[in-house]
């Protein structure tokens, strides 16, 4: 595979080395500035950039013709007008899958807001971007502003895509390498919920890019809710992206991550969806960044997180 390098002496004392520049508190724009504009649109990514985010997060799925597109789900109806534009193209489960549509067809869809009470439904016009378009936007803004904002792509359901005949991991690494993202110091984190996909990227495909193991509160990932589970994660990943609730629900969880040299990037903080007993997002930011010593957080409201860090001299 082009431009991919083999693993050097990366594993030290059972843990993957941390990427350069990992120190300090940072802000990950979750699906862009998705609290203000429809998620996974170039407009939402550009706003997040302007709000000072350190990393822009595009979730990735594949089209029928093998293009990586920014979309949170493997299906389309929750954030696009696919039902009206392509009636009858749903599967037996009544869902419209991105993998059943060509990029040309996907580009005809209008993206709309997912969350009630946010950007007015079907106002303005937004479309599904490709990974290349996201990269070129971020790199273009890095050129014009002099900043060095990174990418934080999530591979959505690689196993599903593999069953459909796609090698999602290889495709993503090829695109990233084409745009200069290679090696352990690249300004990128590749994240996924599936451990096997991350292990494959690290050990089979030989990538030294920084990797993040996403961890939900689901019983399906209960093996990653333990000290031994995190010890295993440290053999292939640079950090964890845990559901923020795990940090409170499992005593010592953040401490275990630190024990094995793992970065801590919890998800997701939202100003309009606060935990019970929390009055403001700033209160939650303080709890996650300081009480749990998170290195970065995923947030739908990157401006609020940036301002908090600046006010606390943590940036």
């Amino acid at each position: 595979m082009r431009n991919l390098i083999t693993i050097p002496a990366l594993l030290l004392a059972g843990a993957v080395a941390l990427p350069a520049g990992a120190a300090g508190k940072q802000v990950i724009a979750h699906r862009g500035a998705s609290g203000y504009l429809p998620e996974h649109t170039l407009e939402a990514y550009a706003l997040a950039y302007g709000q000072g985010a350190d990393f822009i997060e595009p979730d990735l799925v594949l089209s029928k013709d093998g293009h990586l597109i920014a979309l949170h789900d493997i299906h389309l109806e929750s954030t696009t007008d696919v039902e009206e534009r392509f009636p009858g193209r749903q599967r037996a489960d009544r869902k419209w899958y991105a993998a059943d549509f060509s990029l040309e067809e996907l580009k005809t869809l209008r993206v709309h807001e997912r969350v009630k009470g946010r950007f007015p439904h079907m106002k303005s016009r937004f479309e599904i971007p490709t990974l290349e378009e996201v990269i070129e936007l971020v790199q273009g803004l890095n050129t014009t502003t002099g900043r060095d904002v990174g990418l934080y792509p999530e591979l959505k359901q690689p196993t599903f895509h593999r069953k459909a005949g796609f090698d999602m991991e290889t495709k993503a690494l090829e695109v990233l390498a084409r745009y200069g993202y290679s090696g352990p110091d690249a300004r990128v984190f590749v994240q996924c919920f599936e451990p096997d996909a991350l292990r494959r990227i690290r050990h089979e495909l030989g990538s030294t890019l920084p990797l993040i193991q996403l961890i939900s509160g689901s019983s399906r990932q209960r093996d990653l809710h333990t000290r031994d589970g995190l010890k295993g994660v440290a053999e292939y990943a640079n950090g964890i992206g845990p559901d923020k609730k795990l940090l409170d629900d499992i005593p010592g969880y953040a401490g275990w991550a630190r024990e094995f040299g793992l970065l801590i990037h919890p998800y997701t903080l939202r100003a309009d969806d606060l935990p019970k007993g929390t009055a403001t997002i700033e209160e939650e930011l303080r709890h996650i960044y300081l009480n749990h010593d998170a290195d970065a957080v995923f947030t739908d409201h990157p401006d609020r997180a940036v301002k908090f860090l600046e006010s606390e001299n943590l940036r």
Side-chain angles (χ1 to χ4, degrees):
M1 189 168 62
R2 186 176 57 190
N3 290 336
L4 292 180
I5 59 179
T6 58
I7 298 179
L10 187 65
L11 301 181
L12 181 61
V16 177
L18 296 183
K25 307 295 186 183
Q26 299 186 313
V27 176
I28 306 158
H30 182 244
R31 312 179 196 175
S34 56
Y36 303 99
L37 284 167
E39 64 186 48
H40 295 310
T41 59
L42 291 181
E43 291 84 354
Y45 298 139
L47 180 57
Y49 191 107
Q51 290 180 339
D54 299 290
F55 287 90
I56 306 297
E57 186 215 25
D59 295 337
L60 301 177
V61 304
L62 280 160
S63 67
K64 183 178 182 179
D65 45 355
H67 293 275
L68 285 163
I69 59 170
L71 196 71
H72 176 65
D73 301 311
I74 57 174
H75 24 80
L76 295 156
E77 62 273 7
S78 61
T79 56
T80 77
D81 62 346
V82 66
E83 295 169 88
E84 293 76 28
R85 197 165 295 273
F86 292 102
R89 292 280 296 275
Q90 68 270 40
R91 295 189 185 183
D93 60 2
R94 305 295 297 172
K95 293 183 180 297
W96 283 254
Y97 285 75
D100 295 337
F101 293 83
S102 69
L103 180 61
E104 182 179 6
E105 290 174 319
L106 292 168
K107 282 293 188 179
T108 68
L109 300 178
R110 289 185 65 179
V111 173
H112 59 71
E113 178 57 56
R114 175 197 300 269
V115 180
K116 186 177 181 179
R118 289 188 173 180
F119 195 86
H121 189 77
M122 296 303 286
K123 296 294 184 181
S124 194
R125 182 172 183 87
F126 307 95
E127 68 176 40
I128 298 171
T130 64
L131 174 58
E132 289 90 343
E133 289 170 334
V134 178
I135 292 173
E136 290 179 7
L137 172 68
V138 172
Q139 291 190 345
L141 286 168
N142 281 342
T143 297
T144 56
T145 66
R147 296 176 63 205
D148 189 20
V149 173
L151 289 172
Y152 209 121
E154 179 185 348
L155 306 185
K156 305 294 290 192
Q157 300 193 38
T159 298
F160 165 86
H161 286 94
R162 189 170 297 110
K163 290 177 180 177
F166 296 110
D167 185 345
M168 174 178 251
E169 299 96 312
T170 297
K171 178 68 174 179
L173 292 178
E174 287 177 341
V175 174
L176 290 171
R178 191 188 320 144
Y179 283 92
Y181 298 99
S182 60
D185 297 329
R187 188 71 168 149
V188 66
F189 287 98
V190 177
Q191 55 173 329
C192 189
F193 279 101
E194 296 183 16
D196 286 346
L198 294 178
R199 290 191 192 100
R200 179 168 183 256
I201 289 171
R202 182 68 80 214
H203 300 308
E204 179 184 331
L205 300 180
S207 174
T208 55
L209 289 177
L211 305 180
I212 296 291
Q213 175 64 63
L214 294 174
I215 304 173
S216 73
S218 168
S219 60
R220 292 191 299 271
Q221 287 194 300
R222 66 166 61 93
D223 58 323
L224 300 181
H225 297 170
T226 67
R227 180 181 177 277
D228 285 346
L230 294 188
K231 182 179 180 180
V233 168
E235 295 175 359
Y236 60 86
N238 302 82
I240 57 171
D243 183 328
K244 61 187 181 182
K245 296 177 184 177
L246 291 176
L247 299 178
D248 288 321
D249 292 345
I250 303 176
Y253 198 69
W256 297 337
R258 291 293 185 224
E259 179 182 352
F260 300 115
L262 294 167
L263 296 167
I264 303 172
H265 295 173
Y267 68 89
T268 304
L269 279 67
R270 299 179 171 97
D272 53 0
D273 186 16
L274 297 168
K276 186 177 181 180
T278 303
T280 66
I281 190 173
E282 287 74 21
E283 190 177 314
E284 186 178 23
L285 287 163
R286 180 179 300 279
H287 178 61
I288 298 296
Y289 275 124
L290 300 182
N291 293 350
H292 292 300
D293 193 28
D295 300 285
V297 301
F298 290 86
T299 178
D300 292 6
H301 299 83
D303 56 332
R304 302 282 289 271
V306 168
K307 289 177 182 177
F308 170 79
L309 291 179
E310 291 175 344
S311 71
E312 297 290 327
N313 295 317
L314 295 171
R315 216 168 141 75

